[in-house]
Amino acid sequence: MEISLKNKNILVTGASRGIGKAIAEETGKSGARVAVHYGKNKAEAEKIAKEIGNNSQAFGADLEKPEECKNLFEKVVKDFRRIDVLVNNAGVAILSPLDGDKWVEAWDRTMAINLRSVGILARLAIQHFRKIGGGKIINIASRAAYRGDTAEYLAYAASKGGVVSLSKSIARDFGKDNIVCFALAPGWVRTDMAKEAMDQDEYGEEFVMQGIALNRLTEPRDIAPIAALLASGLADHATGTTIDINAASYVH
């Protein structure tokens, strides 16, 4: 069955690169009008929005700041008139040794972007969806939510665990409002953020490849079609689930 997102407005955070960019492009290809959120790379976000077409636009916001999360959502609603799907993709993975002098700072920044902004935007989306008759939330979590991570990424794993719990709670409590929520749990994905993490690590891609069941590292294009399917409404009765997309490196 062909996926159609025609006449759907989708907000994708962190859409100027990596997984977010792939989701923005895939949903746009299916007919959606996409709000391409960026943190710093305005030029790239505007280029992506233009290439997607469908009157898509780029929107900037620093998701570490609660007021900017709110402003982002309100600006998209103002310009698009409505949001049908929210994809909470933006995130950071900060290398933070346990004995580092900036550990608390890294923890707070990770939680602010990876979890607090997701909660704020989800809350705003729920309030908006109740007014328009329903909607969908897709949160990008991680296999780390289930298997944990290394000592240097305690905050990352904890934040993604929170994303999974939040997603389940939204699904359970707001289904009768025609609001569904899903989480996707990638492992290592070939993105700039992952490359930065692997470059800082003592192992790198060769070591990462030993832990997956397939012959290549997961790429953003492997995740985007699943997000488009969930956005379409064809899988609404899977609300509350987390879908593993990590080449069987961890299956819960």
Side-chain angles (χ1 to χ4, degrees):
M1 181 179 293
E2 182 180 350
I3 293 174
S4 175
L5 297 173
K6 190 175 181 181
N7 299 321
K8 298 293 185 184
N9 294 333
I10 300 181
L11 167 56
V12 183
T13 66
S16 65
R17 64 176 189 167
I19 295 172
K21 176 182 177 182
I23 291 174
E25 292 174 337
E26 185 71 25
T27 54
K29 189 167 64 176
S30 296
R33 184 184 188 189
V34 185
V36 180
H37 161 261
Y38 66 90
K40 297 178 180 178
N41 200 338
K42 179 179 180 181
E44 182 63 21
E46 289 180 338
K47 177 185 175 185
I48 293 166
K50 183 177 180 180
E51 290 174 348
I52 291 171
N54 308 331
N55 293 313
S56 299
Q57 295 175 222
F59 296 84
D62 180 356
L63 299 185
E64 190 174 0
K65 300 175 181 177
E67 65 275 13
E68 291 206 25
C69 296
K70 183 174 183 290
N71 291 341
L72 168 66
F73 196 89
E74 291 178 349
K75 183 70 165 61
V76 177
V77 170
K78 180 181 178 183
D79 288 6
F80 282 20
R81 303 293 295 275
R82 61 184 281 152
I83 297 173
D84 300 290
V85 182
L86 166 66
V87 180
N88 278 311
N89 163 76
V92 293
I94 303 172
L95 182 72
S96 182
L98 204 61
D99 57 356
D101 58 1
K102 293 186 177 180
W103 190 88
V104 173
E105 179 183 325
W107 177 279
D108 286 347
R109 175 169 168 75
T110 299
M111 291 297 170
I113 296 173
N114 289 12
L115 184 55
R116 187 177 67 194
S117 75
V118 173
I120 292 171
L121 289 169
R123 173 176 177 262
L124 293 167
I126 290 165
Q127 292 171 335
H128 177 67
F129 293 159
R130 279 175 153 175
K131 294 177 182 176
I132 67 171
K136 308 181 195 308
I137 299 172
I138 302 169
N139 295 323
I140 307 301
S142 168
R143 70 178 187 181
Y146 293 94
R147 57 164 274 175
D149 213 314
T150 61
E152 294 80 13
Y153 293 101
L154 291 180
Y156 178 80
S159 69
K160 293 302 186 178
V163 168
V164 170
S165 293
L166 173 67
S167 302
K168 291 178 179 180
S169 298
I170 292 170
R172 286 175 61 88
D173 276 4
F174 299 101
K176 292 294 194 296
D177 295 307
N178 199 30
I179 297 170
V180 295
C181 186
F182 315 90
L184 303 181
W188 285 103
V189 181
R190 193 182 300 282
T191 63
D192 292 341
M193 188 174 82
K195 185 178 185 304
E196 290 163 7
M198 284 189 285
D199 287 348
Q200 294 179 82
D201 206 334
E202 60 181 296
Y203 300 113
E205 184 171 333
E206 184 177 344
F207 179 81
V208 168
M209 285 296 297
Q210 295 174 18
I212 70 174
L214 300 181
N215 293 318
R216 64 172 175 82
L217 196 62
T218 305
E219 298 184 20
R221 62 184 169 89
D222 298 308
I223 297 169
I226 304 297
L229 171 66
L230 298 175
S232 73
L234 293 172
D236 280 0
H237 279 258
T239 186
T241 59
T242 301
I243 300 175
D244 298 310
I245 313 177
N246 54 52
S249 59
Y250 190 81
V251 183
H252 76 280

